[in-house]
């Protein structure tokens, strides 16, 4: 109740300043002052002032618990261990480690593929219209670029 009254007083004072500024024929500035002056009453009516107070109180309580409760320290330790484990798995995966999975076999029932995926030869393609049109050199270059993923 007191917060709402304080916000109303702030808005009234701001609107009085806006009226005074408009009297001096500075309408654009007066409109800006009125817009800012209406904010406190709007925040109070929407309940955001009390929400801010509750957030501030909760943050202060949490900070006090952080200082005085060892369980909060242990919680941050657990979060740190979790981050380290996740980072380590990302690092191992980036270096080429596997998760125990093998690539799919080339032949159903085979234990592993005959050639790794990266060393398998790409099938040779022939250009449409097999007549020699002078572009056969470019077809070879195109095939090499496609193999390298460019």
């Amino acid at each position: 109740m007191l917060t709402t009254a304080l916000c109303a007083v702030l808005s009234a004072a701001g609107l009085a300043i806006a009226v005074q500024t408009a009297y001096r024929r500075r309408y654009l500035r007066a409109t800006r002052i009125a817009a800012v002056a209406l904010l406190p009453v709007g925040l109070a009516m929407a309940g955001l002032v009390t929400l801010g107070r509750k957030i501030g109180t909760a943050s202060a309580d949490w900070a006090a618990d952080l200082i005085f409760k060892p369980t909060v320290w242990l919680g941050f330790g657990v979060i740190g261990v979790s981050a380290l484990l996740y980072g380590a798995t990302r690092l191992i995966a980036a270096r080429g480690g596997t998760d125990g999975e093998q690539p799919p076999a080339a032949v159903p029932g085979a234990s592993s593929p005959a050639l790794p995926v990266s060393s398998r030869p790409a099938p040779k393609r022939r250009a449409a219209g097999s007549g020699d049109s002078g572009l056969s050199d470019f077809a070879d270059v195109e095939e090499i670029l496609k193999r390298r993923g460019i």
Side-chain angles (χ1 to χ4, degrees):
M1 185 71 172
L2 182 64
T3 305
T4 307
L6 180 64
C7 288
V9 168
L10 281 173
S11 290
L15 289 174
I17 293 171
V19 168
Q20 197 174 34
T21 306
Y23 181 73
R24 293 181 185 154
R25 295 182 186 250
R26 294 181 179 158
Y27 300 114
L28 187 61
R29 184 178 292 183
T31 305
R32 288 181 185 148
I33 292 171
V36 172
L38 291 173
L39 282 177
V41 114
L43 291 172
M45 291 173 71
L48 294 175
V49 174
T50 55
L51 175 66
R53 187 183 67 230
K54 289 178 182 178
I55 290 173
T57 304
S59 298
D61 290 343
W62 177 81
D65 287 347
L66 174 64
I67 294 170
F68 296 117
K69 284 190 177 179
T71 55
V72 177
W73 299 347
L74 291 174
F76 277 109
V78 169
I79 291 170
V81 167
S82 171
L84 284 173
L85 288 174
Y86 186 76
T89 59
R90 297 283 296 194
L91 185 65
I92 291 170
R95 290 190 175 183
T98 61
D99 215 4
E101 301 172 2
Q102 290 184 352
V107 178
S111 61
S112 65
L115 292 173
V117 176
S118 61
S119 63
R120 289 183 191 162
K124 295 192 176 189
R125 298 179 188 156
R126 293 202 172 201
S130 60
D132 188 22
S133 62
L135 297 178
S136 62
D137 295 333
F138 292 113
D140 295 335
V141 171
E142 183 180 353
E143 182 181 338
I144 292 170
L145 291 174
K146 282 184 182 178
R147 258 191 275 152
R148 296 191 183 260
I150 300 175

